[in-house]
Amino acid sequence: MNDGDSPAIAFSVCPHDCPSACAIDVELAAPDRIGRVHGSEANPYTAGVVCAKVARYAERVHHPDRLTRPLRRKGGKSATATLADFEEISWDDALDIVAENFTRAAAQHGPETVWPYNYAGTMGLLQRDGIRRLRNVMGYSRQLNTICSMVMEAGSLAGIGGKYSVDPMEFAESDLIVVWGSNPVYTQVNLMTHIARARKDRGAELVVVDPYRTATAHQADTHLRPRPGTDATLACAVMHVLFRDGHADRDYMAAYTDDPAALENHLRTRTPDWAAAITGISVEEIESFAAAYGTTERALIRMGYGFSRSRNGAAGLHAVSCLPAVRGAWKHRGGGLYASTSGRFQLDLSLISGPEAATRLLDMSQLGPILDGDAAPLNGGPPVTAMLVQSSNPASVAPESGRVRKGFLREDLFLAVHEQFLTDTAMCADIVLPATTFLEHDDIYTSYGQTYLQMGAKAIDPVGETRSNHGTLSALAKRLGAVHPAFEMTAWEVIDATLKASGFAGADDLKARRLIDVAADFEDSHFLNGFPHSDGKFHFHANWETQGNVGGRFPTCRISPTSSMARTMLIPTAW
C-alpha cells in the first residue's frame, strides 16, 4: 500500500517465540531495506500493539555486523573467535564442506552421529521445522524439544487432554483475572491490552500469583507471593475452600470431570493453615483469594509457564488447571483457563517435517553431557561428531553452557552454524552460513497465545548472500542425496501444499486475506461438548504415564505418594 508520500507497507508476522505472534506492518524504504515496524490493527488480538524491540527491527536487519557471506574457520577452534578468525568462501564451497563432513561422520559411526539441532529462533512453521525433514530422511538423530514447554504441555494435557484454551479475546469480558506464573507486561504485552479493557470497562480485579514483584504484579490489585515450587499447594488450598464453603460446582463436576469425590476427599486436609506454612502466604490472603474466585462466575486464569520451571512443575500446573473445573468457571464467557491455543491449528505438517524416522532421540537440554560423551543421554548410540545448528544459540541458552562450549570445541566434532550474527555458538563453528531474517523469506505462522493463522510473505530481498533455512536445507539435501518432494519445492510451494492439505484454499488466498481465525465457538472452546480425553472428561486423577507424558516422549514428574513433595499437591496415583 502507498498513500502519496507515505512509505509502502508490507504485511508480516513477528517470528519470535512469544504467545502473541503479532501482526505487523513494515515500512519499505527500498526493495532490500525496511524502515519502521508497526503493530497492525488487522489482528484483533494483537490490536496494533508491538513490543519495542520488534518496532526497531530495522536495526537488526541492517546492522553492520550482520553475516552476509559464508565463512570458514582459518585456524584452531576458539570460543572467543572473531570475524578475523574466519575467511569468506562461496555457498557452493561451504555446503560441499558441510556435506562432506556429514557423509564422512556417518560412514564412520552411522547416521545417528549427525545431529541437526534447532529450536524456536523463528516460529514460522516451514523455516523452523524443515530441519526435522532432513533428520528423518537421512536417519540422523532426532531431537527431544525439552528446553521450554514440554513440562508445561504435560501439566496441561494431564487435566484438559489437549493444548486448548478459551479464546483470549474473552479476557475483556472477565470480572476476575488471575495471572499465575506469567509476566505479560514484559512477555505478552498484547494480553495486557485486553486485561486493561476488562479492568476499565467492567471493574475486573487482577490477581497475580508470582514469587517475584514483577511489572505485572506491580499493576495488580492483589499479589500473592508463594515460595518457589509451592504453586500446587496454593491451588489445593483454594480448592479445599471451594469445597468447604459450597463454591464447588458439583453439578458441573458430575457432568464434566472424572473423579470429583476422590478429589474432595484428597483435599480435606489441604487447609489454608496447611498451605500457609508451605507457601509463605498468610491464611487470610488464601481465604480472601479463594472467596473471590469462588464467588465470581467470570473468573479467568492465565496459566503461564513460570512455575513449570521447578521440581514437580507438571503436577503444579495440573493442580492449577483443576481450579476452573471445581468452580465450574468453564460454563461462563470470560471464565475458565487460558494456557495454550496451539491445539486449535489442525495443520497437516507432514510435507514440512517428512515421515517420522525411528532413530534415537537426543534431549536438547542434555547437549552438554551428550557432547561430553555421557553414555545415558546418548541413548546407546554413537557419539555426536557432526552438527548443523539453526535458529538457536545453544552455547548461550542450553544448560551447562561450559560443557556445551567445551563440546563444541572438540577437534573431532564438525560444527556448521546457520545464523544472522556471529553468536557464541557461531564462534565455535567450522562453517558459518549467513541466514535471512523473517522479512527476507516466506512462511506461515500459528500461535500458542491466540487463534489466528497468519501469512508472513517475503517483504524484502535477502541482505547480501543470506539464505533461508528452507533454501539452505534443500541445497544441503541435494548434496547428501536426501530425497523428499519438499527439498525440490520453493518455500511458497511447500506453504501452498501444506495449507491445501489442511483444508485451506492455499498460499495466495492466505496472503490476500492475511490471516484466518481458527477459533472454536463458545461451546467447544469451553469444553461444553466434552474435554479432549477419550471419556470427554476433565481429569482430576492424572495418569502421568499417558495423559501427562506428551505422547510418551519423556518421563515427567512421576511422584511417589510417600515423597515429601507429593504431600503438597495432587498425587498422580490412587488417592
Side-chain angles (χ1 to χ4, degrees):
M1 305 187 305
N2 202 332
D3 241 351
D5 294 329
S6 300
I9 299 294
F11 304 137
S12 195
V13 185
C14 174
H16 291 176
D17 187 1
C18 164
S20 291
C22 291
I24 55 177
D25 295 338
V26 183
E27 296 179 3
L28 299 179
D32 63 348
R33 192 165 194 88
I34 69 166
R36 189 77 176 169
V37 176
H38 305 276
S40 174
E41 299 283 354
N43 186 320
Y45 171 73
T46 58
V49 176
V50 70
C51 68
K53 64 182 177 182
V54 176
R56 298 170 55 185
Y57 210 82
E59 296 177 22
R60 181 179 185 88
V61 174
H62 306 297
H63 197 282
D65 292 339
R66 180 91 185 270
L67 299 175
T68 59
R69 293 200 65 193
L71 303 173
R72 174 172 56 193
R73 180 178 295 281
K74 291 190 293 189
K77 290 189 176 186
S78 170
T80 58
T82 67
L83 286 174
D85 297 302
F86 295 87
E87 61 182 352
E88 293 184 349
I89 59 175
S90 70
W91 266 99
D92 282 341
D93 287 346
L95 290 172
D96 286 345
I97 292 169
V98 176
E100 288 166 5
N101 278 273
F102 280 18
T103 301
R104 184 182 304 114
Q108 183 176 1
H109 299 286
E112 288 184 343
T113 194
V114 181
W115 185 10
Y117 185 105
N118 79 308
Y119 200 59
T122 176
M123 293 296 285
L125 299 184
L126 171 61
Q127 306 294 348
R128 183 189 66 196
D129 293 336
I131 198 169
R132 290 180 56 193
R133 186 187 331 120
L134 185 67
R135 296 184 195 122
N136 288 328
V137 173
M138 292 299 297
Y140 295 154
S141 287
R142 293 175 297 150
Q143 181 169 295
L144 200 58
N145 291 330
T146 57
I147 206 164
C148 179
S149 61
M150 189 170 275
V151 173
M152 193 275 181
E153 290 179 15
S156 182
L157 291 171
I160 292 173
K163 292 184 282 187
Y164 301 99
S165 295
V166 301
D167 189 326
M169 300 298 289
E170 289 188 32
F171 273 94
E173 302 178 65
S174 297
D175 294 319
L176 173 63
I177 297 168
V178 183
V179 175
W180 200 316
S182 182
N183 184 19
V185 165
Y186 286 158
T187 63
Q188 197 177 1
V189 63
N190 312 83
L191 178 61
M192 292 305 297
T193 301
H194 301 287
I195 292 175
R197 183 174 298 121
R199 299 180 79 185
K200 178 181 179 181
D201 296 345
R202 302 180 62 87
E205 181 180 355
L206 174 61
V207 177
V208 171
V209 182
D210 199 299
Y212 297 97
R213 180 72 169 170
T214 64
T216 308
H218 185 72
Q219 295 188 16
D221 299 293
T222 301
H223 178 201
L224 301 177
R225 301 182 64 176
R227 295 184 178 115
T230 65
D231 300 85
T233 304
L234 175 60
C236 287
V238 172
M239 287 187 282
H240 170 94
V241 174
L242 297 180
F243 279 109
R244 184 198 71 193
D245 293 353
H247 300 315
D249 192 328
R250 298 182 184 279
D251 291 339
Y252 176 86
M253 286 188 288
Y256 290 99
T257 70
D258 66 337
D259 205 351
L263 174 65
E264 183 175 8
N265 183 62
H266 174 71
L267 294 171
R268 290 190 190 282
T269 60
R270 274 59 176 179
T271 64
D273 292 273
W274 163 83
I278 297 169
T279 64
I281 301 172
S282 70
V283 171
E284 293 75 20
E285 289 176 303
I286 296 172
E287 291 278 6
S288 177
F289 173 47
Y293 188 75
T295 56
T296 306
E297 290 183 339
R298 296 186 177 217
L300 182 51
I301 298 175
R302 186 342 179 195
M303 187 171 73
Y305 289 23
F307 61 109
S308 73
R309 276 64 157 135
S310 62
R311 181 178 174 85
N312 296 313
L317 285 154
H318 175 236
V320 173
S321 76
C322 291
L323 284 163
V326 174
R327 176 64 184 87
W330 289 110
K331 297 188 305 184
H332 308 288
R333 290 196 65 83
L337 184 75
Y338 171 67
S340 174
T341 61
S342 60
R344 293 294 171 202
F345 299 90
Q346 298 294 316
L347 297 182
D348 181 348
L349 302 179
S350 58
L351 184 63
I352 291 175
S353 60
E356 194 68 17
T359 53
R360 69 173 173 183
L361 281 166
L362 295 179
D363 184 340
M364 67 181 303
S365 295
Q366 292 289 307
L367 176 59
I370 286 169
L371 294 178
D372 218 6
D374 286 10
L378 283 168
N379 287 337
V384 171
T385 61
M387 295 184 69
L388 167 66
V389 176
Q390 278 189 333
S391 304
S392 184
N393 183 17
S396 290
V397 302
E400 298 185 86
S401 60
R403 294 182 79 180
V404 172
R405 297 183 192 210
K406 175 185 173 185
F408 281 156
L409 297 178
R410 280 173 27 207
E411 288 301 324
D412 67 330
L413 174 75
F414 173 80
L415 177 63
V417 177
H418 189 202
E419 253 297 355
Q420 297 166 4
F421 293 88
L422 194 67
T423 62
D424 290 337
T425 303
M427 290 178 188
C428 301
D430 298 285
I431 293 291
V432 181
L433 305 170
T436 50
T437 67
F438 75 103
L439 295 169
E440 300 158 63
H441 57 237
D442 296 317
D443 217 334
I444 51 173
Y445 297 84
T446 58
S447 172
Y448 58 96
Q450 49 146 308
T451 60
Y452 288 88
L453 173 66
Q454 300 181 91
M455 171 60 75
K458 187 180 78 157
I460 59 172
D461 295 333
V463 172
E465 297 181 17
T466 58
R467 292 190 187 181
S468 69
N469 287 2
H470 174 71
T472 300
L473 291 168
S474 296
L476 180 59
K478 185 175 182 179
R479 288 165 169 79
L480 292 168
V483 178
H484 187 278
F487 289 132
E488 306 298 324
M489 302 165 69
T490 66
W492 194 259
E493 289 169 338
V494 176
I495 292 168
D496 185 63
T498 296
L499 290 170
K500 289 176 178 175
S502 306
F504 296 96
D508 290 335
D509 176 76
L510 182 56
K511 182 178 180 180
R513 298 173 64 175
R514 190 170 179 181
L515 48 77
I516 296 173
D517 191 3
V518 301
D521 60 20
F522 173 79
E523 285 73 19
D524 281 343
S525 64
H526 285 252
F527 307 111
L528 300 183
N529 295 322
F531 286 85
H533 284 296
S534 59
D535 59 2
K537 307 283 190 178
F538 180 91
H539 284 194
F540 292 133
H541 194 153
N543 181 345
W544 294 106
E545 290 294 335
T546 56
Q547 300 159 358
N549 202 8
V550 197
R553 288 183 289 165
F554 75 114
T556 62
C557 307
R558 296 175 60 189
I559 310 160
S560 164
T562 60
S563 73
S564 59
M565 289 299 294
R567 292 193 293 272
T568 72
M569 59 189 67
L570 295 176
I571 303 173
T573 54
W575 290 318

